[in-house]
Amino acid sequence: MQTPATAPTTTTIWKCYRCALTFNKEEIAATHFDIFKHPIDKIEKTSIHN
Ligand SMILES: [Zn+2]
């Protein structure tokens, strides 16, 4: 049985450089920003899973 080729997956994460934390949901990043007022960077990662 053959495994079908997988298209590249783009994962968006949010990172707080002050805390060195990463968030995989925008709402969590937004909550972090609300509480700590730390600038959050949005990062798009492309990964290919085989
Ligand atoms: Zn932070």
Side-chain angles (χ1 to χ4, degrees):
M1 208 161 146
Q2 273 201 327
T3 311
T6 314
T9 313
T10 304
T11 309
T12 306
I13 61 164
W14 291 261
K15 178 157 187 169
C16 174
Y17 287 99
R18 296 253 189 114
C19 303
L21 287 174
T22 54
F23 311 99
N24 56 7
K25 288 206 169 107
E26 185 167 22
E27 61 203 76
I28 300 170
T31 303
H32 186 85
F33 181 79
D34 279 350
I35 297 168
F36 298 102
K37 305 295 180 196
H38 291 166
I40 307 280
D41 253 21
K42 185 179 178 181
I43 301 163
E44 289 187 3
K45 299 201 302 185
T46 306
S47 54
I48 300 165
H49 301 285
N50 289 318

